[in-house]
Amino acid sequence: MTVRLRALWADSSDDSNKPSFLQVRSSKSFVVMVVSFMAFTDVFLYGLDALAHPNSPAILGYISDHTESRRFPLLFGLLLLTGATVMLCAGTSFHTFVIGRALQGASAAMVWTAGLALLADNVEKDELGQCLGYVTMAMNAGTLLGPLSGGIVYDKGGYFAVYNMGFALIGLDVVLRFVLIEKKTARKYTASIEDPNHDALLPQPALDEDEGLRSSYGTVNVTNAGSESLKTSSNQRSVWQRRLPAFIWLLSSRRLLVALLASMMWGLILTSFDAVLPLFVMRTFGWSSSGSGLIFIAIVIPSVFGPVAGYLADKYGPRYLTAGGFLSAVPFFVLLRLVTHASLGQEVLLCALLALIGLAITFMVTPVVAEIVHSVDEKEKERPGIFGKGATAQAYGLFNCAFATGSIVGPLFAGLIKHHAGWAAMGWGLGVLSAATSVPVLFFMGGWIGDQKAGADDD
């Protein structure tokens, strides 16, 4: 029994027992499926307190980047989610509710930092956008199915039946996270099978110029005081740079800052509709609370094109796809002003406009999630070794902070405008913000547009 458990766990410190189904458990498809299910479970159990998000992702990203395996922080995040769900299910006091919400926020932050970093570690860079498209599709599916199934189960089975469904999802998530094997762990087993002395397969430190001369021609006395002084100064500068927190270097990247701006706008747009749309259809069309929840289907369904958007971003770059997504949403935001009274035609018009907005969001968001990784890689190439063990999870922590900031601003922005100026003005407001965001995206997403033109001229 112990041997079987070890074979399933894949302890990276023990190369003697090859895990069962190693090739399947470390495959790209399985990793994408597990991360997508994490996102689905997180959003399905949605109720996350937006104020809890910005306080935890950066710290959790740092922890994830400095642990041996991404799986351990993910399992810890799942433990937080389980504890939060138990507290929300059984708690009766306000304090218990607040603590449960905070734990849920921390768990969600772990999924969107360590989870996306895990995917980036195990997928080729030229396929990252397409794979992240499946994750965003799963997230949107959870957004849709969570409220719908929760309402149905509550009507049929009561309060605790809803949480039993949640615990079942958490149980399956536990199994998948335990079964998953990262590629860097799998390589140890495959290397040991191919070559018993697999340590020899590890890259050897490069010889410096003097050592190369000595090894080829014997001992050569090469002395250059000026060269040694420059080397010492460069080494001191390099040590000082490595001591700076990774997020400072990340925030110095214009490419990443624009991706974070796009992420914030994504959160703002989604939560603007969350705050305003249900009340609008209830008052305008006389829909019930259940019907007002169903209106979000129109926004969510276009997310099935997420993998297509990711594939196009991988092939042609994120610049024009993302800028086009923000710009193409503008007329549909403005045309929301045409929905003014109760009729079948008006209901169809609203659903059509929301579906087109959802399609634009899909094409603006999927490339942005992949752009986070590419911006980190670009910064690493500029200053090799500046991030030490890496900064992908920390970059996704900043991404989560930006999204959460937009999630806080969105309901305030849309709610205040609708209250003081009306539904049409709210559509105009979202249109103006979307158009304004497309400008920096066009110039900086994927790198400065001037560099691209210079490269084209050189060709």
Side-chain angles (χ1 to χ4, degrees):
M1 184 67 178
T2 304
V3 174
R4 291 179 181 177
L5 289 175
R6 286 179 179 174
L8 282 174
W9 172 249
D11 184 359
S12 60
S13 64
D14 184 5
D15 291 349
S16 60
N17 295 320
K18 178 185 175 183
S20 303
F21 309 107
L22 176 63
Q23 186 172 359
V24 174
R25 293 165 59 189
S26 61
S27 66
K28 177 186 71 176
S29 300
F30 187 73
V31 172
V32 172
M33 185 194 75
V34 172
V35 176
S36 298
F37 190 79
M38 290 180 201
F40 175 84
T41 302
D42 171 61
V43 180
F44 188 90
L45 299 173
Y46 191 69
L48 305 177
D49 182 47
L51 293 176
H53 282 201
N55 296 327
S56 53
I59 299 172
L60 297 176
Y62 178 85
I63 294 172
S64 177
D65 281 330
H66 289 78
T67 52
E68 184 68 23
S69 170
R70 303 280 190 198
R71 186 167 58 171
F72 294 110
L74 286 173
L75 290 173
F76 177 69
L78 194 56
L79 180 64
L80 293 178
L81 180 60
T82 304
T85 307
V86 170
M87 295 182 74
L88 293 173
C89 176
T92 56
S93 68
F94 175 76
H95 296 90
T96 304
F97 182 80
V98 170
I99 295 172
R101 288 291 195 236
L103 290 177
Q104 270 194 319
S107 172
M110 190 64 79
V111 169
W112 295 109
T113 52
L116 294 180
L118 170 69
L119 187 64
D121 291 343
N122 290 269
V123 171
E124 297 297 329
K125 293 295 186 288
D126 57 355
E127 297 178 339
L128 184 59
Q130 184 177 7
C131 293
L132 285 168
Y134 290 105
V135 177
T136 56
M137 186 170 64
M139 181 196 71
N140 287 320
T143 303
L144 171 63
L145 295 178
L148 289 179
S149 57
I152 294 172
V153 171
Y154 180 79
D155 290 338
K156 300 296 182 181
Y159 175 81
F160 289 104
V162 175
Y163 281 98
N164 288 337
M165 180 174 57
F167 286 125
L169 276 178
I170 292 174
L172 181 56
D173 203 357
V174 168
V175 173
L176 290 175
R177 296 193 198 193
F178 268 105
V179 169
L180 173 71
I181 298 178
E182 297 177 60
K183 277 190 176 181
K184 63 182 179 182
T185 303
R187 288 192 191 101
K188 295 184 178 182
Y189 297 103
T190 55
S192 61
I193 293 171
E194 294 169 2
D195 188 343
N197 300 316
H198 62 281
D199 286 343
L201 298 175
L202 298 175
Q204 300 298 318
L207 296 173
D208 63 26
E209 187 177 355
D210 292 352
E211 289 174 338
L213 289 171
R214 284 194 294 270
S215 62
S216 301
Y217 305 105
T219 302
V220 179
N221 186 14
V222 181
T223 304
N224 190 322
S227 175
E228 290 296 328
S229 176
L230 288 173
K231 185 182 292 185
T232 301
S233 176
S234 176
N235 290 339
Q236 289 175 347
R237 191 185 310 115
S238 179
V239 170
W240 174 78
Q241 290 174 349
R242 288 191 180 94
R243 288 178 178 174
L244 286 175
F247 76 90
I248 293 180
W249 290 111
L250 291 172
L251 293 176
S252 68
S253 167
R254 293 178 298 182
R255 185 173 178 178
L256 180 64
L257 287 176
V258 170
L260 296 180
L261 172 64
S263 304
M264 185 178 70
M265 280 302 305
W266 175 30
L268 187 150
I269 292 170
L270 287 182
T271 55
S272 292
F273 282 118
D274 284 344
V276 172
L277 192 57
L279 291 175
F280 175 77
V281 297
M282 289 173 69
R283 292 174 180 175
T284 305
F285 301 143
W287 289 8
S288 65
S289 57
S290 300
S292 64
L294 291 174
I295 191 64
F296 289 102
I297 294 177
I299 299 178
V300 169
I301 285 180
S303 65
V304 299
F305 294 102
V308 177
Y311 171 79
L312 293 175
D314 289 334
K315 189 171 183 179
Y316 301 106
R319 184 191 314 279
Y320 299 110
L321 202 64
T322 307
F326 278 106
L327 205 56
S328 64
V330 174
F332 306 129
F333 283 131
V334 175
L335 289 174
L336 288 173
R337 66 193 299 273
L338 299 178
V339 182
T340 57
H341 60 275
S343 71
L344 180 60
Q346 292 276 287
E347 293 174 359
V348 172
L349 175 61
L350 178 61
C351 290
L353 290 173
L354 292 177
L356 291 170
I357 290 171
L359 185 63
I361 290 174
T362 298
F363 279 87
M364 71 172 72
V365 165
T366 307
V368 168
V369 183
E371 177 71 0
I372 301 295
V373 176
H374 297 314
S375 60
V376 174
D377 291 342
E378 181 185 68
K379 205 67 181 176
E380 177 71 30
K381 288 178 182 178
E382 291 177 3
R383 300 177 182 274
I386 197 66
F387 296 129
K389 294 185 177 181
T392 303
Q394 293 172 79
Y396 274 121
L398 294 173
F399 159 79
N400 199 19
C401 288
F403 179 85
T405 302
S407 299
I408 295 171
V409 175
L412 298 173
F413 175 83
L416 288 173
I417 292 180
K418 185 179 182 300
H419 178 72
H420 291 287
W423 167 258
M426 187 211 72
W428 270 106
L430 290 176
V432 169
L433 287 180
S434 188
T437 306
S438 69
V439 176
V441 166
L442 179 63
F443 282 101
F444 294 105
M445 183 72 72
W448 168 238
I449 191 172
D451 295 338
Q452 185 185 37
K453 289 182 177 181
D457 293 340
D458 292 341
D459 293 339

